[in-house]
Amino acid sequence: MSDKRTIGIVGLGYVGLPLAVAFAEAGHEVVGIDSDRRKVDGINAGRSHIEDIADETLRGLSDNLRATAEEADLAPCDAVIICVPTPLTNSREPDLTYLLASATSLSRVLRKGQLVVLESTTYPGTTRERLRPILEESGLAAGTDFNVAFSPERIDPGRTDYTVATTPKLVGGLTPACAEAARALYAEICEEVVVLTSPEAAELSKLLENIFRSVNIALVNELAQLCDRLGIDVWEVIDAASTKPFGFMRFDPGPGMGGHCLPVDPFYLAFKARQHDFYPEFIELAGKINQAQPGFCVERIERALNSAGKAVNGSRILILGVSYKGGIGDTRESPALKIIALLQSLGAEVSYHDAHVAALPGNGLASADLEEALASADLAAIVTAHPGVDYERVAAVAPLVLDFRGVTRGLEAENIERL
């Protein structure tokens, strides 16, 4: 390790907290900033709010890692990394509210020699055109008095094979000196740091990573809808295509995309493209297909109930899994939320079971006991496949099962329908 540094992390969520832990484990002093007092108090008490970080890990780092809600605590930091949410507005345009507010707060305590790195996913030009001017309200000049860089987060919640340390880190600075400062910082915790020529290249690289997935998921989601009409098993088709050892990469269909990045990033790039009189129709179409997939799933539920002589109105529908991916409790942009809302609007009596998500206040629901919910359900829909759920038992108890994740492919039962 080089000389001990003081690192500030703004935003202690699924990206910021693992980053804070990585720097603390490397022996640096870490100051974590978050506006949520519950997170701050929990971290300082050794309680983690995300699955990837154990309580024991936080307790073991109490000498190096502390959380606060006070922006003034960033003043002594050698580097400040911004990891705040960058969601969409109701009109599906970039919402930089949290980012700009963080930049404004930081500008009040910014000092010479500091490094500021933005990790929040955003469109090309944000670091230079939006973040830099706000920081320079401090009276200091970016690239001269302090360094500025962009380094996209690559956290995949719940994943253990690729971590902060083992996932290559991209950095792009306003100047070569800015880039070198960012490279040196992340070299403390990452095995490989890749330096790009600009923040814009780093910003667009992140969008490309996720839009690549969005486009391919949209392709197989649309294929699933076509296979439904053709009476062909989409899972069999994908399994068959996957036997080709070259020229094909497997993507699976599902109920829609969730999480912060995949449902959001296509709209961030489309927003920037329109500013340059360019309309990325292919990318926008993929986003629209994935956004519409929960509606298709509700249509499938309606048809399954109709085949059993039941209407959606008044039927008891159990949703299995409401987080956006298996093994975690993150419900951001989860397609399950849209499916639940649509079913409730149709008069269904909706319940859900998810060991990782205790309650959905926005839908007026709490996670139900699995056995009790199965016993009373007219239909069980597998929306998120969590490890540890006995789907064979689900199929044995529920009168109808709709599997939107393909986890029942090894089961043969007349009451099972698949996407």
Side-chain angles (χ1 to χ4, degrees):
M1 186 187 82
S2 64
D3 294 339
K4 185 173 183 178
R5 304 187 192 191
T6 302
I7 312 296
I9 308 289
V10 181
L12 296 173
Y14 281 87
V15 174
L17 187 56
L19 200 60
V21 166
F23 278 110
E25 288 179 334
H28 299 288
E29 181 180 349
V30 179
V31 179
I33 304 288
D34 204 287
S35 59
D36 188 337
R37 293 281 183 175
R38 293 171 299 178
K39 290 182 182 178
V40 169
D41 293 341
I43 291 168
N44 289 333
R47 295 191 308 272
S48 175
H49 53 280
I50 64 174
E51 292 89 343
D52 289 353
I53 304 297
D55 293 349
E56 294 77 12
T57 299
L58 288 182
R59 288 195 288 269
L61 295 172
S62 58
D63 290 341
N64 283 5
L65 170 60
R66 66 182 178 90
T68 176
E70 303 303 323
E71 62 191 42
D73 290 344
L74 294 173
C77 293
D78 300 300
V80 178
I81 304 174
I82 301 173
C83 308
V84 296
T86 44
L88 294 171
T89 66
N90 291 334
S91 57
R92 313 303 291 178
E93 292 195 343
D95 183 356
L96 301 183
T97 301
Y98 300 112
L99 192 163
L100 300 181
S102 297
T104 299
S105 297
L106 179 56
S107 70
R108 301 189 187 109
V109 296
L110 193 67
R111 61 177 177 80
K112 283 189 176 183
Q114 281 184 318
L115 165 65
V116 179
V117 183
L118 176 61
E119 285 215 5
S120 305
T121 304
T122 186
Y123 56 81
T126 301
T127 304
R128 190 183 304 273
E129 300 164 8
R130 304 301 302 275
L131 177 63
R132 175 183 180 172
I134 294 175
L135 295 178
E136 289 185 332
E137 290 176 3
S138 63
L140 302 176
T144 302
D145 298 318
F146 64 96
N147 294 311
V148 179
F150 181 81
S151 180
E153 60 88 4
R154 282 175 159 176
I155 297 291
D156 188 5
R159 188 156 199 160
T160 57
D161 52 347
Y162 291 103
T163 64
V164 171
T166 60
T167 303
K169 197 79 172 93
L170 305 181
V171 298
L174 286 179
T175 66
C178 292
E180 172 55 26
R183 186 208 62 77
L185 173 68
Y186 285 109
E188 294 289 323
I189 59 170
C190 299
E191 295 176 3
E192 180 182 0
V193 181
V194 180
V195 179
L196 282 72
T197 59
S198 67
E200 290 81 4
E203 290 161 338
L204 186 53
S205 296
K206 170 62 175 180
L207 294 183
L208 174 60
E209 293 170 12
N210 288 327
I211 291 171
F212 170 80
R213 292 187 62 201
S214 171
V215 166
N216 282 282
I217 291 172
L219 172 64
V220 291
N221 278 341
E222 192 168 54
L223 182 66
Q225 295 189 30
L226 175 60
C227 284
D228 177 57
R229 296 196 181 193
L230 295 176
I232 299 173
D233 185 345
V234 68
W235 302 101
E236 180 183 7
V237 172
I238 294 172
D239 286 344
S242 298
T243 63
K244 185 179 181 181
F246 56 89
F248 182 82
M249 181 178 292
R250 183 185 182 116
F251 287 85
D252 288 337
M257 294 192 310
H260 166 66
C261 292
L262 293 192
V264 172
D265 291 0
F267 296 96
Y268 265 69
L269 185 56
F271 169 81
K272 185 65 176 182
R274 288 194 298 272
Q275 293 181 344
H276 292 265
D277 199 28
F278 185 87
Y279 300 88
E281 297 178 1
F282 190 69
I283 294 171
E284 289 188 304
L285 178 59
K288 291 176 182 177
I289 290 171
N290 289 324
Q291 288 290 324
Q293 190 71 356
F296 174 68
C297 292
V298 170
E299 178 191 326
R300 287 291 306 272
I301 291 173
E302 287 184 275
R303 284 161 41 196
L305 287 169
N306 285 341
S307 297
K310 296 178 181 289
V312 172
N313 190 0
S315 287
R316 296 180 295 275
I317 300 173
L318 171 63
I319 303 297
L320 295 177
V322 297
S323 58
Y324 82 85
K325 63 179 285 189
I328 66 171
D330 191 348
T331 61
R332 290 177 298 174
E333 300 286 335
S334 173
L337 304 183
K338 186 178 287 188
I339 290 172
I340 289 172
L342 289 170
L343 290 171
Q344 288 178 326
S345 71
L346 294 172
E349 295 181 20
V350 182
S351 61
Y352 83 91
H353 171 78
D354 192 316
H356 299 269
V357 182
L360 294 175
N363 301 94
L365 299 173
S367 181
D369 176 80
L370 181 56
E371 287 296 327
E372 291 180 5
L374 283 173
S376 62
D378 295 307
L379 180 147
I382 302 170
V383 176
T384 302
H386 285 303
V389 176
D390 186 348
Y391 294 108
E392 188 171 358
R393 173 66 178 168
V394 169
V397 177
L400 289 172
V401 177
L402 245 175
D403 176 9
F404 296 125
R405 293 292 184 177
V407 293
T408 64
R409 278 177 286 165
L411 303 177
E412 295 296 332
E414 292 185 358
N415 65 325
I416 298 177
E417 293 187 20
R418 299 181 186 90
L419 184 65

